[in-house]
Amino acid sequence: MVCRMFRLETEVDKARRDLLHRRLRDTNTAASPVLRALRGTPAERESPLHVWASDANGRLAGGLVGHTWTTWLHVTYLWVDAPHRGTGLGSTLLAEAERLAATERACTRSRVETWDFQAPDFYQKQGYEVVCVIPDYPPGITEYTLTKRLR
């Protein structure tokens, strides 16, 4: 496709993706004193944070996968196996991730995205506040973004 003397392409290209990412990061760094101050520090990089729970037989009962970046914990996945739901395991996994993020990584805030049929009420009971609601994403479902100030 030609558009104003440019050739548009749609194939997946990891090398150009990485180049685009570097250029966007450089542009953002030049425009933001906050991001400029982060460059070259450990806080600039995302660091994985995982918490796992196994049952008495050593099987996975639940887990939390996330990462920390700057002063934020980002909860990517939190799941508890059906037989263990309602036991407090989800709250325990989340509390441990928040504790590690706050005490070992100096995080002051946490964020999570969840759908209406998943766990917005659960996160609100854990002290999270809804900061964004996206209806019909995907169609027929509402997505929530929630945040919490860590102690």
Side-chain angles (χ1 to χ4, degrees):
M1 177 179 184
V2 177
C3 175
R4 294 186 184 188
M5 305 301 293
F6 297 100
R7 185 179 76 233
L8 300 181
E9 303 170 40
T10 59
E11 79 273 358
V12 174
D13 183 327
K14 292 179 182 178
R16 284 196 277 186
R17 177 204 62 198
D18 293 345
L19 175 61
L20 184 72
H21 179 256
R22 285 191 305 275
R23 288 183 178 176
L24 179 60
R25 186 189 65 215
D26 291 346
T27 300
N28 290 345
T29 300
S32 168
V34 172
L35 294 177
R36 204 166 29 256
L38 281 173
R39 284 303 287 268
T41 70
E44 179 187 25
R45 293 181 298 281
E46 290 181 2
S47 296
L49 193 153
H50 298 180
V51 181
W52 306 105
S54 300
D55 65 17
N57 298 315
R59 289 186 299 255
L60 182 65
L64 181 148
V65 171
H67 67 268
T68 56
W69 179 69
T70 67
T71 58
W72 282 80
L73 164 65
H74 186 125
V75 177
T76 308
Y77 309 124
L78 173 57
W79 174 84
V80 173
D81 198 14
H84 306 292
R85 293 181 189 150
T87 65
L89 180 55
S91 299
T92 300
L93 290 164
L94 184 59
E96 179 64 4
E98 292 171 350
R99 184 191 70 74
L100 291 169
T103 61
E104 296 182 9
R105 303 187 186 187
C107 289
T108 58
R109 306 275 303 192
S110 179
R111 66 173 284 168
V112 64
E113 294 86 26
T114 189
W115 287 322
D116 54 9
F117 66 88
Q118 288 178 318
D121 294 338
F122 165 80
Y123 288 107
Q124 287 177 304
K125 288 177 188 171
Q126 309 309 312
Y128 284 72
E129 297 177 11
V130 174
V131 295
C132 179
V133 177
I134 305 174
D136 223 25
Y137 181 75
I141 296 174
T142 299
E143 182 180 87
Y144 294 87
T145 301
L146 300 97
T147 64
K148 177 181 179 178
R149 184 170 302 280
L150 301 178
R151 298 179 195 189

